[in-house]
């Protein structure tokens, strides 16, 4: 497995590399301190599996890099590692295709478990930033516009494939949005999601 770490603080990268070595034995870790270095690594390592990126960098912010990665390297799992606790940053990251949002003050154990979850095909959202099921206003407000669009089409019975064709994005991205939506609603499948949406009276 090969992971690219993108952060402008050398000390943080050093600590993160130490933690990541506990992920698995056969692991290669690359380090970039800015956007330009990250682009070079992305283009020169076609076997890259994951990129861990900070949102706050001196040249271009992490959202620009996330967008570039999603557009040009859709098979690379992008994970945001940030000091931000803003719900808006979480929403923007997930809407941009990130598979996880890990706060920098997360313990090493939780971080490794989060990465293992992402590697297994899930999306990681810290529990402190998930939504309460009984707060319908917050639930709707913190779903991104794209996720609201996906929810509306799911409620009409459209398959992931049909939604992808209608919106014009990859089916895999629709699956990622669906997983994130389920987590936010506190459910595990479409049927439960539909019942919760009806209960909360969302999207009327």
């Amino acid at each position: 497995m090969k992971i690219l770490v993108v952060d402008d603080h050398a000390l943080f990268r050093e600590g993160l590399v130490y933690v990541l070595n506990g992920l698995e034995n056969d692991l290669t870790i690359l380090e970039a301190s800015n956007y330009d270095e990250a682009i070079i690594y992305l283009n020169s390592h076609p076997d890259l599996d994951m990129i861990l990126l900070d949102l706050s960098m001196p040249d271009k912010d992490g959202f620009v890099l996330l967008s570039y990665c999603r557009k040009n390297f859709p098979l690379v799992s992008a994970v945001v590692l940030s000091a931000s606790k803003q719900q808006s940053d979480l929403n923007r990251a997930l809407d941009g295709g990130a598979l996880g949002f890990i706060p920098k003050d997360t313990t090493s154990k939780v971080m490794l478990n989060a990465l293992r979850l992402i590697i297994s095909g899930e999306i990681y959202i810290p529990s402190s930033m998930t939504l309460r099921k009984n707060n319908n206003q917050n639930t709707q407000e913190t779903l991104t516009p794209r996720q609201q669009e996906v929810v509306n089409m799911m409620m009409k019975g459209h398959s992931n494939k049909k939604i992808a064709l209608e919106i014009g994005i990859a089916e895999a991205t629709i699956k990622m949005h669906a997983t994130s939506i389920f987590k936010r609603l506190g459910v595990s499948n479409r049927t439960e999601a539909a019942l919760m949406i009806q209960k909360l009276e969302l999207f009327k």
Side-chain angles (χ1 to χ4, degrees):
M1 185 176 184
K2 185 178 288 188
I3 297 177
L4 172 61
V5 174
V6 187
D7 193 286
D8 61 314
H9 291 94
L11 187 61
F12 180 79
R13 293 199 310 273
E14 183 179 339
L16 184 57
V17 168
Y18 177 80
V19 171
L20 290 175
N21 280 319
L23 193 60
E24 62 174 60
N25 294 325
D26 189 17
L27 180 65
T28 299
I29 303 174
L30 306 173
E31 298 179 48
S33 62
N34 55 51
Y35 175 88
D36 291 334
E37 287 182 7
I39 297 302
I40 292 173
Y41 277 121
L42 282 166
N43 285 285
S44 59
H45 291 270
D47 57 341
L48 196 65
D49 297 294
M50 179 180 289
I51 178 172
L52 303 179
L53 59 98
D54 187 17
L55 293 180
S56 179
M57 291 188 288
D59 48 357
K60 295 181 181 178
D61 68 31
F63 289 117
V64 177
L65 180 58
L66 176 61
S67 177
Y68 179 90
C69 188
R70 289 297 86 209
K71 180 179 179 180
N72 298 283
F73 303 94
L75 297 181
V76 177
S77 299
V79 181
V80 169
L81 263 174
S82 177
S84 172
K85 294 293 185 67
Q86 296 296 318
Q87 190 74 43
S88 58
D89 285 337
L90 168 65
N91 294 344
R92 188 178 173 189
L94 294 178
D95 199 37
L99 298 181
F101 191 98
I102 305 176
K104 282 189 172 182
D105 60 359
T106 299
T107 65
S108 60
K109 181 179 180 180
V110 171
M111 181 178 293
L112 290 178
N113 287 336
L115 293 176
R116 292 188 182 103
L117 184 69
I118 293 167
I119 291 169
S120 71
E122 298 293 330
I123 291 178
Y124 176 78
I125 302 173
S127 58
S128 61
M129 300 178 78
T130 54
L131 306 175
R132 298 176 181 176
K133 291 187 290 184
N134 62 352
N135 192 328
N136 61 333
Q137 182 178 1
N138 283 343
T139 300
Q140 183 167 359
E141 287 180 352
T142 53
L143 286 178
T144 66
R146 177 68 80 192
Q147 288 166 349
Q148 292 186 32
E149 187 177 9
V150 171
V151 166
N152 283 326
M153 297 188 74
M154 285 172 55
M155 291 296 290
K156 295 176 181 177
H158 295 325
S159 66
N160 288 340
K161 184 175 182 179
K162 182 173 177 58
I163 295 173
L165 289 173
E166 289 285 336
I167 296 178
I169 59 179
E171 185 176 354
T173 303
I174 297 299
K175 291 179 180 179
M176 289 192 300
H177 283 310
T179 300
S180 180
I181 291 165
F182 295 163
K183 283 182 177 292
R184 289 166 186 245
L185 293 174
V187 301
S188 58
N189 55 55
R190 281 182 173 230
T191 301
E192 292 179 358
L195 292 174
M196 183 58 66
I197 288 169
Q198 291 174 357
K199 179 179 179 180
L200 298 177
E201 298 182 342
L202 297 178
F203 313 116
K204 284 191 171 183

